[in-house]
């Protein structure tokens, strides 16, 4: 029999640290009367976000039945929002999530996510709570807060909300090695952020008030300068995204419009087009309370806690050894 790598990639110490981290998280939310829930990993629908690619699964009612395509969830978000609309109050979940094509030193196609929702919270109140959780896990942590706009002004001396696409393209060409011309504004912003700005963000920082094209499932308002911005934040530590939070969209009509826009982008880019989640839309029509929600990468948080440089150091088995 040929020799294969069967051993875990994480040390026993890392596995013990994971167990302790899970307990800290559960204690944290129990003390705050936030209900722990479980929602399906396997679903009939999936998100339409063009940046996320689900893992498909085939279900058969019996061995000779026709196979039905289902999806391993990229996030528990839709199901948890349906719980919120049912009146369950604040909820959290530690669960597995799955994303195709994500593998590397900070990514594994199967990973652990902590997601929670706080009815009545503002985005800044949720940032406060995330920071309090970090204190419980990592000890002394102080997070700076900066708008997406100010971040680009500080690091690149340009306003990402008002500058021309041509200006962005010229800066990308000057600062980043790209193999082809890029003309999509969002792609240009993402390239500048991921290649130039994010690696420099070593100290904990909340970035908030994103361009509206980055809204995803967050509400949109006008900022102090009158520019429309998306009410979302990202927490970055040691040049790595740790959490992504929204002041959640609760308007069913607007949610349907965004699903349709995502589907158009997917079709234009020759990507699989997924149907809109009708159960979520009906839950929003029924009425979901105004709330803020956040998804936090547990594996990445554990990497910070353990001083790990590669996600394999905190996973019992990476997908190559699964």
């Amino acid at each position: 029999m040929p020799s294969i790598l069967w051993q875990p990639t994480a040390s026993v110490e890392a596995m013990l640290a994971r167990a302790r981290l899970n307990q800290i998280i559960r204690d944290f939310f129990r003390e705050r009367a936030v209900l722990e829930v479980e929602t399906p990993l396997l679903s009939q629908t999936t998100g339409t976000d063009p940046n996320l690619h689900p893992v498909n699964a085939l279900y058969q009612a019996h061995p000779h039945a026709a196979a039905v395509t289902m999806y391993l969830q990229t996030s528990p978000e839709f199901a948890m929002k349906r719980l919120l609309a049912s009146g369950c109050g604040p909820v959290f979940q530690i669960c597995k999530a799955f994303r195709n094509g994500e593998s590397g030193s900070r990514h594994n196609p199967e990973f652990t996510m902590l997601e929670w929702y706080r009815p009545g919270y503002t985005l800044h109140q949720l940032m406060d709570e995330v920071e309090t959780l970090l204190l419980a896990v990592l000890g002394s942590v102080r997070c700076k807060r900066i708008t997406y706009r100010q971040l680009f002004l500080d690091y690149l001396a340009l306003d990402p909300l008002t500058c021309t696409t041509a200006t962005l393209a010229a800066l990308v060409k000057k600062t980043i090695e790209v193999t082809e011309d890029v003309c999509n504004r969002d792609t240009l912003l993402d390239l500048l952020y991921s290649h130039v700005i994010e690696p420099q963000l070593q100290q904990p920082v909340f970035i908030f008030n994103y361009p509206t094209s980055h809204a995803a499932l967050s509400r949109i308002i006008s900022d102090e300068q009158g520019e429309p911005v998306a009410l979302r934040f990202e927490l970055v530590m040691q040049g790595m995204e740790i959490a992504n939070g929204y002041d959640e969209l609760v308007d069913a009509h607007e949610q349907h419009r965004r699903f349709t826009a995502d589907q158009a982008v997917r079709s234009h880019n020759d990507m699989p087009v997924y149907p809109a989640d009708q159960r979520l839309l009906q839950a929003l029509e029924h009425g979901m309370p105004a709330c803020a929600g956040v998804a936090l990468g547990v594996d990445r948080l554990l990497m910070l806690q353990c001083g790990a440089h590669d996600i394999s150091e905190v996973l019992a088995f990476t997908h190559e050894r699964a």
Side-chain angles (χ1 to χ4, degrees):
M1 178 182 294
S3 177
I4 57 174
L5 292 172
W6 58 267
Q7 299 91 342
T9 53
S11 66
V12 173
E13 289 76 17
M15 288 185 274
L16 289 170
R18 180 181 290 274
R20 289 193 295 268
L21 175 57
N22 287 342
Q23 191 60 55
I24 290 171
I25 291 170
R26 288 190 164 95
D27 290 345
F28 180 87
F29 288 110
R30 186 181 66 250
E31 290 169 1
R32 287 161 176 76
V34 179
L35 176 66
E36 181 172 11
V37 298
E38 289 187 358
T39 56
L41 295 180
L42 191 64
S43 178
Q44 298 174 49
T45 60
T46 188
T48 57
D49 189 330
N51 298 308
L52 298 180
H53 310 289
V55 175
N56 297 1
L58 296 179
Y59 169 73
Q60 291 176 281
H62 56 82
H64 302 293
V68 177
T69 299
M70 299 187 75
Y71 307 95
L72 293 173
Q73 288 302 280
T74 58
S75 161
E77 181 169 4
F78 291 0
M80 293 183 77
K81 286 181 173 178
R82 287 162 57 192
L83 292 178
L84 289 167
S86 75
C88 66
V91 290
F92 83 98
Q93 180 169 189
I94 302 172
C95 67
K96 292 293 186 180
F98 304 83
R99 295 180 183 177
N100 241 331
E102 298 199 1
S103 179
S105 62
R106 297 175 175 178
H107 297 86
N108 193 65
E110 175 184 347
F111 61 99
T112 302
M113 179 181 286
L114 164 64
E115 191 151 331
W116 76 94
Y117 292 87
R118 280 294 207 163
Y121 268 40
T122 67
L123 203 63
H124 282 274
Q125 286 175 315
L126 187 58
M127 284 189 243
D128 291 341
E129 188 162 64
V130 172
E131 190 167 1
T132 303
L133 176 61
L134 292 178
L135 285 169
V137 174
L138 301 175
S140 180
V141 175
R142 190 69 178 173
C143 300
K144 180 181 176 182
R145 299 185 187 186
I146 186 170
T147 64
Y148 185 92
R149 182 183 217 167
Q150 193 60 50
L151 194 71
F152 272 73
L153 287 168
D154 289 352
Y155 285 89
L156 294 172
L158 65 80
D159 188 331
L161 304 185
T162 61
C163 71
T164 65
T165 301
T167 299
L168 291 172
L171 187 56
V172 165
K173 195 169 185 178
K174 178 182 177 182
T175 57
I176 303 170
E177 289 186 16
V178 290
T179 56
E180 57 186 48
D181 289 337
V182 180
C183 57
N184 179 275
R185 185 179 184 85
D186 286 340
T187 303
L188 292 166
L189 287 171
D190 289 343
L191 284 169
L192 289 169
Y193 173 75
S194 62
H195 286 73
V196 180
I197 298 175
E198 189 177 51
Q200 300 184 63
L201 303 178
Q202 295 300 307
Q203 298 304 313
V205 57
F206 285 108
I207 305 159
F208 65 99
N209 286 6
Y210 277 70
T212 57
S213 57
H214 291 55
L217 303 182
S218 64
R219 291 197 307 117
I220 293 172
I221 64 164
S222 294
D223 68 7
E224 294 177 353
Q225 288 75 38
E227 292 291 336
V229 292
L231 285 176
R232 65 175 290 188
F233 70 77
E234 287 188 5
L235 170 65
V236 178
M237 300 177 70
Q238 296 183 19
M240 178 168 62
E241 180 193 337
I242 303 299
N244 187 8
Y246 301 151
D247 188 317
E248 300 292 345
L249 181 65
V250 298
D251 184 317
H253 176 77
E254 173 62 14
Q255 183 63 78
H256 184 269
R257 188 197 67 79
R258 292 191 196 179
F259 280 156
T260 303
D262 284 347
Q263 290 166 330
V265 172
R266 282 185 164 274
S267 179
H268 177 76
N269 293 333
D270 295 323
M271 299 164 62
V273 178
Y274 304 111
D277 188 328
Q278 296 300 321
R279 289 184 176 88
L280 173 64
L281 292 174
Q282 289 194 24
L284 294 179
E285 287 177 359
H286 172 77
M288 190 180 98
C291 67
V294 60
L296 184 149
V298 174
D299 306 311
R300 291 186 177 184
L301 182 58
L302 186 58
M303 285 174 66
L304 294 176
Q305 190 182 47
C306 295
H309 300 289
D310 194 289
I311 197 169
S312 64
E313 298 174 59
V314 298
L315 298 176
F317 299 102
T318 59
H319 76 286
E320 295 95 344
R321 299 194 190 187

